[in-house]
Amino acid sequence: MVNGRDISQDKSLGDLGREAISFLTHTFIAFTLLAVVIGVMSLNHPDPDSPAPKLLATFFAGLVPMFGGFILARVQHNDIARYTWISGLVIFSIVCVWVLDLPTGNGLCETCGAVEKLWRTFFSFDHGSGLMGGDGILVGAWIPLSMIAYAVGAKLALEP
């Protein structure tokens, strides 16, 4: 209750539906901005084994959606844009459960504990776990990061 009113009271079904559509739209925009970053990065044909392009992509996966969220929230004055971090958290949680259920084999991450398995899958650029076909950083780190950064940008734009 930052502005002194409770936003959850006295809403019609239509209002809630519009908010849900707006939430999904902002989530999709954050995802689309990440797709643009990945598309631009892939035009340079980076070395998949080098950590430098992954680090640069991680930086831009946060910066571009944050800037996009800032611009869109400033133009639309839509309070719902601040809540896209929830989508990022839900996606991260689902992917974490999925990775923990993946079978490991020789040389992958057969002796890893749960935390090390998640860390090496999502956040290790040079010594990954080998799970998810090497796409753990994309699915488990960049997608949630883009949605959280979008929400932060929207929050910064809507602050008085």
Side-chain angles (χ1 to χ4, degrees):
M1 292 184 31
V2 174
N3 56 2
R5 66 183 179 111
D6 188 6
I7 61 172
S8 65
Q9 300 294 321
D10 301 327
K11 295 223 176 164
S12 69
L13 189 58
D15 291 339
L16 294 174
R18 280 187 288 281
E19 286 183 2
I21 296 288
S22 179
F23 177 78
L24 292 175
T25 302
H26 285 289
T27 299
F28 180 73
I29 291 169
F31 184 78
T32 303
L33 291 170
L34 174 65
V36 168
V37 168
I38 292 171
V40 169
M41 291 291 295
S42 67
L43 291 176
N44 294 326
H45 303 290
D47 180 20
D49 296 327
S50 175
K54 294 176 187 174
L55 186 60
L56 186 64
T58 302
F59 175 74
F60 284 121
L63 184 68
V64 170
M66 183 184 298
F67 186 69
F70 182 85
I71 296 296
L72 284 173
R74 182 70 72 160
V75 169
Q76 292 182 345
H77 299 289
N78 188 342
D79 290 337
I80 304 302
R82 297 187 296 190
Y83 300 110
T84 56
W85 65 269
I86 296 170
S87 293
L89 186 63
V90 168
I91 289 172
F92 182 72
S93 300
I94 291 170
V95 174
C96 282
V97 170
W98 178 37
V99 166
L100 290 175
D101 285 340
L102 286 175
T104 58
N106 292 335
L108 293 176
C109 197
E110 62 185 329
T111 60
C112 295
V115 173
E116 185 180 5
K117 193 175 186 181
L118 293 173
W119 180 263
R120 287 179 57 187
T121 301
F122 300 143
F123 306 115
S124 179
F125 295 138
D126 55 353
H127 187 59
S129 67
L131 301 173
M132 296 180 64
D135 291 335
I137 294 172
L138 168 67
V139 177
W142 291 346
I143 292 174
L145 174 65
S146 70
M147 292 175 192
I148 292 168
Y150 185 90
V152 168
K155 176 77 172 166
L156 292 173
L158 296 173
E159 286 292 315

